[in-house]
Amino acid sequence: MAEKWTNGHSSSILCLNVSKDGLVASGAEGGQLTIWNEEGSRIEQTWLQKGDDVTCVIFSPICPGRLYASHGETVSVLDIRCLKEPVGCFHVNEEEINYLSVNEADSLLAVADDSGAIKIIDLESKKLSRCLSRHTNICTSAVFRPQRPQCLVSCGLDMKVMLWNLQKTRPLWIKSLQEEEAEDQSAGQLFNPPLVHSLSVSTCGNIFGCGAEDGKIRIFRVIGTKFEQEMAFKGHSLGVSQVCFLPEVEAYWLLTGGNDGKVLLWNVSNDLGKQKSPVKTIHRQKIRMPNSTKKVHKMNAEFTNEGVPISPKLTIEHGEKVNWISYVEIKGSRRILVADQTSSISVYPIAEP
């Protein structure tokens, strides 16, 4: 059974983020934003102007007390010690914002919206720096790569994944998942279109994963100015709404959440290790999985590039469509945070203390 964090919202929670200090921010429908401590107690709360849904929240990596929150076409900058009034505000997007990402230097903020545009805000000058306009449909995610403050990857409902360097206004590399789907359909197989809903970059910055409407999880490796697909596997029976690499673990452990109400934990380290690449792999540490929560998922797993099936190391039957997943370590114990159609946050253990 999941632990529930309650009394923080009155409507569906749409997004989550965890600060370096272990505080959790959650945004909900109607402009409601809440800060929680690691025990799941509400410590601050506010309603953002106009009552627009809070679609994304992200803490500053340099100053954990600073929080960026998107609502409607606006990004508010908040001091979590006093949430009543934003300390700053950016209004550079013309359509609803879907995703925020801040680079490790806390100098640039990427803002992805429904028009497909990614606006880059210079946080030092507080001005619009660039507009990246290559997606032809909603841009669902744009994420800075760790250790590379000028580089990011993005995805969208145009079924494309793109690699960017902010020194250029055009993407360095584009991958169309629709072309892959066309090949499958020509073989007589019918799938939901691979609209890409979510993207996460691993700690090393070279490996990233995407979740799409066709239920597949795709893992890519960046090599120089391009990226290549390392593996793809069927993870969920419905669309994959969320993917999240675990940030505190020096290995490729990936959390996924789906519209099928499942939350899954995958270890893709071994399969990536089989790929020949000039990129050095990072040291990997094992996660101890509690026997009571280990399950072998029985769904029809597709094959990796080596022809070896992959199964999740942990399956959680959450039961609700997943809006957001995040990871937090509370007093040495690893936890998954799940936001869904309800007004509470579900907390699941993924490792023994």
Side-chain angles (χ1 to χ4, degrees), residues 287-307:
I287 293 182
R288 292 175 295 153
M289 303 297 298
N291 293 330
S292 60
T293 55
K294 284 185 181 178
K295 295 182 182 179
V296 178
H297 197 47
K298 300 295 184 181
M299 103 174 1
N300 293 327
E302 295 197 1
F303 290 92
T304 66
N305 289 355
E306 283 76 33

Side-chain angles (χ1 to χ4, degrees), residues 154-173:
S154 65
C155 63
L157 300 191
D158 56 1
M159 297 174 275
K160 292 179 180 177
V161 183
M162 302 185 188
L163 175 67
W164 303 85
N165 185 307
L166 297 184
Q167 295 176 348
K168 299 181 179 180
T169 56
R170 292 185 177 183
L172 299 175
W173 197 258

Side-chain angles (χ1 to χ4, degrees), residues 2 21 34 163 172 192 197 225 240 244 254 300 312:
D21 292 342
T34 300
L163 175 67
L172 299 175
N192 289 327
H197 294 302
T225 58
V240 183
C244 176
L254 182 70
N300 293 327

